[in-house]
Amino acid sequence: MATQATDRALLLLLGVPGTAKSWVSEHLTAAICGTSRLIVQGTAGTSEEAIRYGWNYALLLAKGPSREAVVASPIIRAMGEGRIARVEELTRIPSETQDSFITILSEKTLPIPELNEEVAARKGFNLIATANNRDRGVNELSSALKRRFNTVVLPPPATIEAEIAIVETRVAALGRAFEIPAEPPGADEIRRVVTIFRELREGVTVDGKNKVKQPSGTLSTAEAISVVGSGLALAAHFGDGRLSAHDLVSGIGGAVVKDPVQDAIVWREYLETVVKERDGWKDFYKAARAGA
Ligand SMILES: Nc1ncnc2c1ncn2[C@@H]1O[C@H](COP(=O)(O)OP(=O)(O)OP(=O)(O)O)[C@@H](O)[C@H]1O
Ligand SMILES: [Mg+2]
């Protein structure tokens, strides 16, 4: 709201990947300005042209620099149309290139010196960026750039009930989108997946009694959603159409074990010390042991 009311841009930031940054940014831009398509995907190879403008060289050679020969970036288009542009994975963009955003955000204009012109942003122009601060290969934002953003951190869901509800709704939507011919998963199966993810993420069992070792990977809600989603697809096509522990174990194992040595030990220890002892989790323990 502060972003909408002022001219500061919005940055969705967080520790772990998969907390719906991109999803929130996409829905916000679509809701505010009618399109979520004006997007710059940040990568280590993102160049200034992708943020500012490039040239259509054939036209440039034929006619010399002209407005026609300018290839506008999504950012320039958003400025011209007074819409919101999205920048995905801002921190993956090299620092020198990130600097281009400083002028855009402070002046709200973009000079095109070759034409002795500038593109001025129409009212309504703004940026929504997503970034990650806990991944390898990210470039810290300069404080000059940081200052131009309102920063919102998206944490993983606070309570297990909230997380279960999110997984349930998203999996139901995915099941419809992919036309998976399976029964929607039972609340119990989802609770089990979410419980495992939360315990490993937080390093303690939900009852708070036992410590568990944490694996190296990030066990986000997005991953829980995809584990249940792929389990559902397995159940539909190779099982009896009902999500069972058997359909889930390989997905969970794959999500947890990112480092084949360290994480495998963590996962096995978790199975033996937590899963094995838990009431009603025998089937899961057996399926996981068979798969391990
Ligand atoms: N809290 C949440 N509420 C609703 N959906 C969620 C939530 N967390 C994750 N998801 C789901 O997870 C999926 C992936 O999220 P998204 O791609 O937006 O994550 P991200 O934070 O951008 O991850 P990355 O850092 O990898 O880019 C989305 O489709 C979204 O539905
Ligand atoms: Mg994203």
Side-chain angles (χ1 to χ4, degrees), residues 189 192 242-250 283-285 287-288:
E189 288 302 336
R192 202 139 69 166
R242 292 193 52 216
L243 189 66
S244 69
H246 185 75
D247 303 311
L248 289 172
V249 287
S250 68
D283 58 329
F284 188 88
Y285 176 73

Side-chain angles (χ1 to χ4, degrees), residues 62-102:
K63 295 192 184 164
S66 66
R67 199 59 196 258
E68 250 189 311
V70 170
V71 178
S73 68
I75 309 283
I76 289 207
R77 299 219 306 278
M79 290 172 86
E81 294 169 19
R83 293 183 198 267
I84 298 191
R86 294 170 59 200
V87 182
E88 280 284 294
E89 307 290 353
L90 180 60
T91 46
R92 289 190 192 277
I93 301 177
S95 312
E96 311 85 76
T97 316
Q98 284 177 15
D99 290 345
S100 302
F101 287 115
I102 297 182

Side-chain angles (χ1 to χ4, degrees), residues 175-206:
R176 280 195 302 276
F178 295 134
E179 299 174 13
I180 299 175
E183 283 176 35
D188 290 349
E189 288 302 336
I190 293 186
R191 174 173 296 271
R192 202 139 69 166
V193 174
V194 173
T195 306
I196 294 172
F197 271 55
R198 289 183 75 87
E199 290 184 332
L200 288 169
R201 188 192 299 150
E202 281 154 25
V204 58
T205 52
V206 278

